[in-house]
Amino acid sequence: VIKCKAAVTWEANKPFSIEEVEVAPPKAHEVRIKIVATGICRSDDHVITGALVMPFPIILGHEAAGIVESVGEGVTSIKPGDKVIPLFVPQCGECSSCLSTKGNLCSRSDIGPAGGLMADGTSRFTCKGKTIHHFIGTSTFTEYTVVHETAVAKIDSAAPLEKVCLIGCGFSTGYGAAVQTAKVEPGSTCAVFGLGGVGLSVIIGCKAAGASRIIGVDINSDKFAKAKELGATDCVNPKDFKKPIHEVLIEMTGQGVDYSFEVIGRTETMSAALACCQYNYGVSVIVGVPPAAEKITFDPMLLFTGRSWKGSVFGGWKSKDSVPKLVADYMKKKFVLDPLITHTLPFSKINEGFDLLRTGK
């Protein structure tokens, strides 16, 4: 058992509490990882606010990179000392989604009505005598974590962990939504709703795919300069218009956009993103985590005329296969990650990090 520091979320709408936790050794087919760097993602905050329902107490975090400390019985693909990225979408290689060329959402993932436990129904974390839940099979807001071997990817030993941790969620999710899920084509027009780290990664993907026009949409105009630096051709703030934003986008493009992406996790913007894409062949992709217990009511004529509405988890990538390749592409400078990093804080200041997220900084 390793004793280390972790940021425990004891209950909803409360700050993180830095605690000493006990991390049990890995069982068969599990891997214990020393976390070196972790990103802060809005999905972690969604658990705190209740928009994403998970059991408490819990150790959040799912976008990270680290070094393998030890492995359980039967683990052959990974050894202590390897640099790795934990995978919140595992790849078992055996379920229908893993076996299909069209899918990536492995049946072993803990997304949805989550148990918050390892595959055997137990936790590897305890604190003050209490069992602490895992978060989507990763739990990276801790100095050490335990993951299943299907939920970890070995990466280039030269990769800078404080940068490539973003490939564990934010970058891959956005970039893949554009190049994998939507399959944006050269010369197409795109709209991206939400210009946080994931939305900016969608822009990077749209630009890499050769889109001729990329329109960023956000109610925080402070986000526009960075969006343009990464490839947005136009940026619009819905607060600047009297009319609904989908009408503004249709007017800007004549017919609506070829591809739209909702990268926020709000039902109103999901509906607007669908409505702003071309009525016959437009494709709208939901990237933001939908809020719990909310439903969308929409005019089915929007789909009848030919639009496609799609979802994308982890950018459609098969995680164990793709993450090492994405890290290799970063090392070859095929894309940038540095502009997505606004602040670097010590672990003890995790609450300040979330304050920065919530205030749009």
Side-chain angles (χ1 to χ4, degrees), residues 206-280:
C206 292
K207 187 181 179 186
S212 61
R213 196 166 181 198
I214 304 167
I215 306 167
V217 183
D218 203 297
I219 56 171
N220 179 357
S221 299
D222 294 345
K223 305 267 186 186
F224 293 170
K226 179 76 60 86
K228 286 180 173 168
E229 177 194 328
L230 289 170
T233 54
D234 315 67
C235 289
V236 290
N237 187 330
K239 289 180 168 174
D240 294 343
F241 300 91
K242 295 263 196 305
K243 60 180 70 164
I245 192 64
H246 72 273
E247 291 180 16
V248 174
L249 291 164
I250 290 168
E251 277 178 20
M252 286 173 72
T253 54
Q255 286 261 326
V257 297
D258 298 308
Y259 299 97
S260 66
F261 302 86
E262 199 280 355
V263 205
I264 302 165
R266 293 177 65 93
T267 51
E268 313 90 279
T269 35
M270 290 172 189
S271 298
L274 177 68
C276 82
C277 69
Q278 207 276 351
Y279 69 94
N280 179 212

Side-chain angles (χ1 to χ4, degrees), residues 331-346:
M331 299 298 280
K332 290 179 198 143
K333 298 189 164 52
K334 288 193 180 173
F335 54 79
V336 294
L337 291 174
D338 291 42
L340 301 176
I341 301 169
T342 57
H343 299 76
T344 303
L345 299 168

Side-chain angles (χ1 to χ4, degrees), residues 81-103:
D82 284 349
K83 280 192 178 179
V84 292
I85 288 178
L87 308 169
F88 73 90
V89 173
Q91 187 182 345
C92 71
E94 294 162 5
C95 70
S96 58
S97 291
C98 283
L99 291 171
S100 167
T101 56
K102 296 185 279 191

